[in-house]
Amino acid sequence: MPSPAITALDAAKLPYRLVSHGAVGSLAEAAAVRGVAVPDVVKTIVVRRSEDDHLFVLTPGDRVISWPKLRALLGVHRLSMPDAAGALAATGYERGTITPFGASTAWPVVADERLRGREITLGAGERGLAIAIDADTAIAALDATVADVTDPQPTR
């Protein structure tokens, strides 16, 4: 039986392709097995505004959420990230598999502006499985707000 993400994509008649791969240990490894550049491995981050109010933030793989930019966009002073159990409860997906497609609650989506015009890969609701989809198609289907909400990934 397909994941809720695949069911949702099929129901919406969105063009995508499945990318099946084994376990990965890093973002660079995920990009390699998916056959894409690191920025095209999109991270779906669950952000909590309040107890029962969350949103999804889609970030390129080589970037991180800019909390000041995101707070300014949303007009709030405080945001947080739920723990693993909280993310599962809010989305129906375990960390590492989270996607806005087919989530148990259709939370609002914010997509970093750098995603536009690219083919991206996202979690597909199951470990070792991703979807490749045109970012503009995904953004439109999710009715996402597009804005500059990220900063470069800090170097170590």
Side-chain angles (χ1 to χ4, degrees), residues 9 15-19 30-31 34-44 57-62 99-101 109-124 130-140 142 144:
L9 288 160
Y16 68 94
R17 65 183 166 81
L18 284 176
V19 181
R34 293 178 186 183
V36 300
V38 169
D40 299 325
V41 176
V42 173
K43 300 177 283 189
T44 302
V57 180
L58 305 179
T59 68
D62 62 341
T99 178
F101 292 105
V109 177
V110 174
D112 187 73
E113 66 186 12
R114 290 157 192 85
L115 299 179
R116 289 188 288 199
R118 308 178 72 98
E119 181 182 69
I120 58 172
T121 62
L122 293 164
I131 60 162
I133 189 168
D134 176 76
D136 297 327
T137 299
I139 287 166
L142 296 166

Side-chain angles (χ1 to χ4, degrees), residues 124-156:
E126 297 177 16
R127 297 227 178 262
L129 190 63
I131 60 162
I133 189 168
D134 176 76
D136 297 327
T137 299
I139 287 166
L142 296 166
D143 194 26
T145 299
V146 178
D148 175 10
V149 294
T150 64
D151 289 326
Q153 178 81 34
T155 56
R156 294 178 193 202

Side-chain angles (χ1 to χ4, degrees), residues 43-123:
K43 300 177 283 189
T44 302
I45 311 296
V46 181
V47 174
R48 181 176 45 219
R49 286 189 272 203
S50 64
E51 184 66 30
D52 290 317
D53 185 15
H54 296 79
L55 64 135
F56 295 107
V57 180
L58 305 179
T59 68
D62 62 341
R63 299 184 69 84
V64 296
I65 292 175
S66 167
W67 294 103
K69 291 177 186 177
L70 186 58
R71 285 192 304 268
L73 175 71
L74 300 173
V76 299
H77 296 292
R78 185 178 151 116
L79 295 167
S80 62
M81 290 176 50
D83 62 14
L88 175 62
T91 68
Y93 295 122
E94 293 180 346
R95 280 193 181 159
T97 70
I98 295 173
T99 178
F101 292 105
S104 56
T105 301
W107 300 113
V109 177
V110 174
D112 187 73
E113 66 186 12
R114 290 157 192 85
L115 299 179
R116 289 188 288 199
R118 308 178 72 98
E119 181 182 69
I120 58 172
T121 62
L122 293 164

